[in-house]
């Protein structure tokens, strides 16, 4: 059973798109998508520096376009991707990539919506200086208690001993001054307290655009960050995409669902590495592949041939 996953914001690094643009048709595809999102995705994915692509309004459409493009490069088209993937999931903004791969949203609609999400979250982040810090290790209960004591929100529960705290910079400083025992703190390269109440204005903005879209029911199992559930309704998934902007990401729950489904291989779309690293601890025995460049496509095709095959299972009753 094959899982395809897509990373969230913070995974982007300068120049990560360069090698992908050398593939046939990719430059033209990104030129078209740049018009859709109102950004020069080619420049941001090749020559822009780390600070430029840290901008939420830039990072989110850049990440989603890269993931969709890699899926097309691997499978030929997204219909084939959905037919080969037994389950698809994305972390935070990666859910938009997952929605396109699973067929719940067209690439154009996914990019339109995520561009609006990025702009809305960037504007919300500008209201109050906020950020996010990963808490690595420590006792789970003690970590959650320390986060609460600092007035922060556990915005991402990633499993594998990693919980991301989010809130104002002052609250993050309070956590740094009184960290949980046996835990390490790592500030994330994001520009706001995502998946918290600070993002409420962005929810309303994205909700208005989402109401104009017509989603389709996913062609394969599609997991939700809300609770790790398999969502079989396109309209429900779209609603969850919108509400997730100000709600915590439960990647631990998604990982538990992958384990319960009996996933035997997991491949992460670019810019890959974050989710496969988490899976090393949480999904032991599962074959993992981080697709970082086109050089990884041959190995990815082998992985698909060896592990895909449960997509034909009746998906009814799994929502």
């Amino acid at each position: 059973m094959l899982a395809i996953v897509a990373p969230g914001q913070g995974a982007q690094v300068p120049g990560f798109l360069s090698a992908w643009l050398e593939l046939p048709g990719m430059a033209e595809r990104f030129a078209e998508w740049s018009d859709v999102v109102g950004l020069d995705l080619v420049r941001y994915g090749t020559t822009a520096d780390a600070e430029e692509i840290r901008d939420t309004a830039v990072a989110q459409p850049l990440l989603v376009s890269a993931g969709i493009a890699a899926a097309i490069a691997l499978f030929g088209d997204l219909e084939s991707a959905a037919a080969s993937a037994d389950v698809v999931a994305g972390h935070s903004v990666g859910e938009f990539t997952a929605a396109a791969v699973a067929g719940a949203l067209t690439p154009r609609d996914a990019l339109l919506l995520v561009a609006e999400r990025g702009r809305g979250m960037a504007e919300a982040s500008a209201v109050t200086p906020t950020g996010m810090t990963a808490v690595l290790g420590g006792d789970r209960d003690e970590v959650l208690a320390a986060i609460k004591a600092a007035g922060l929100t556990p915005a991402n529960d990633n499993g594998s001993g990693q919980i991301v705290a989010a809130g104002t910079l002052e609250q993050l400083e309070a956590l740094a001054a009184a960290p949980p025992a046996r835990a390490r703190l790592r500030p994330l390269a994001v520009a706001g307290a995502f998946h918290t109440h600070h993002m409420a204005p962005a929810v309303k903005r994205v909700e208005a655009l989402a109401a104009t879209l017509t989603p389709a029911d996913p062609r394969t199992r599609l997991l939700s960050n809300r609770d790790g559930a398999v969502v079989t309704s396109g309209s429900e998934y779209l609603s969850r995409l919108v509400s997730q902007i100000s709600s915590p990401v439960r990647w631990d729950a998604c990982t538990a669902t992958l384990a319960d489904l009996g996933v035997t291989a997991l491949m992460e779309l670019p810019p890959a590495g974050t989710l496969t690293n988490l899976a090393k601890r949480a999904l032991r025995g599962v074959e993992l592949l981080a697709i970082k460049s086109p050089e990884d496509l041959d190995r990815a095709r082998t992985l698909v041939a060896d592990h895909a095959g449960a997509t034909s299972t009746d998906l009814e009753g799994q929502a």
Side-chain angles (χ1 to χ4, degrees):
M1 176 175 274
L2 174 67
I4 296 177
V5 298
Q9 195 168 337
Q12 72 276 10
V13 294
F16 80 92
L17 204 58
S18 297
W20 295 98
L21 290 168
E22 296 176 6
L23 297 179
M26 280 296 178
E28 293 79 9
R29 180 171 284 114
F30 274 93
E32 177 185 341
W33 289 348
S34 292
D35 290 339
V36 171
V37 301
L39 295 168
D40 186 348
L41 294 171
V42 172
R43 187 185 79 79
Y44 283 118
T46 56
T47 60
D49 61 26
E51 190 60 28
E52 285 184 280
I53 62 174
R54 182 175 179 268
D55 182 347
T56 301
V58 171
Q60 296 194 10
L62 184 61
L63 285 162
V64 173
S65 62
I68 295 172
I72 293 172
L74 174 57
F75 294 101
D77 55 59
L78 294 180
E79 290 77 10
S80 299
S84 299
D86 299 305
V87 57
V88 182
H91 186 287
S92 187
V93 73
E95 285 199 297
F96 289 78
T97 311
V101 172
L105 292 175
T106 66
R108 184 179 186 278
D109 284 354
L111 289 168
L112 276 175
L113 199 60
V114 79
E116 188 72 358
R117 181 186 194 264
R119 289 187 290 265
M121 293 174 75
E123 289 185 5
S125 298
V127 174
T128 303
T130 56
M132 305 178 80
T133 293
V135 184
L136 309 173
D139 176 81
R140 178 182 174 81
D141 290 339
E142 291 180 7
V143 168
L144 290 172
I147 290 173
K148 182 178 181 180
L152 295 160
T153 298
N156 296 351
D157 192 335
N158 291 329
S160 301
Q162 183 185 116
I163 297 176
V164 177
T168 67
L169 298 185
E170 290 80 7
Q171 290 168 334
L172 291 171
E173 289 171 0
L175 179 65
R182 302 179 304 282
R184 294 181 293 112
L185 305 187
R186 179 167 58 85
L188 300 185
V190 296
F194 304 149
H195 305 293
T196 72
H197 65 89
H198 293 284
M199 295 295 110
V203 173
K204 294 182 179 180
R205 179 168 176 166
V206 176
E207 192 172 43
L209 178 57
T212 69
L213 304 180
T214 305
D217 292 341
R219 301 187 187 100
T220 188
R221 298 174 185 84
L222 181 58
L223 304 190
S224 169
N225 282 176
R226 180 189 296 176
D227 50 13
V230 176
V231 179
T232 58
S233 162
S235 58
E236 181 187 348
Y237 193 80
L238 180 58
S239 175
R240 285 171 174 246
L241 279 179
V242 175
S243 63
Q244 200 66 52
I245 294 170
S246 61
S247 302
V249 169
R250 291 295 308 275
W251 188 251
D252 62 322
C254 289
T255 301
T257 300
L258 294 177
D260 290 344
L261 287 171
V263 163
T264 57
L266 178 147
M267 62 172 63
E268 181 181 0
L269 298 172
T274 302
L275 301 181
T276 45
N277 284 337
L278 289 173
K280 287 177 182 177
R281 291 184 60 183
L283 296 172
R284 296 187 185 278
V286 172
E287 188 169 355
L288 306 174
L289 175 60
I291 304 175
K292 297 184 177 182
S293 78
E295 293 182 356
D296 297 314
L297 290 177
D298 283 343
R299 186 180 165 202
R301 293 185 182 105
T302 299
L303 204 69
V304 172
D306 290 345
H307 293 273
T311 321
S312 59
T313 301
D314 185 3
L315 301 181
E316 301 240 348
Q318 294 192 36

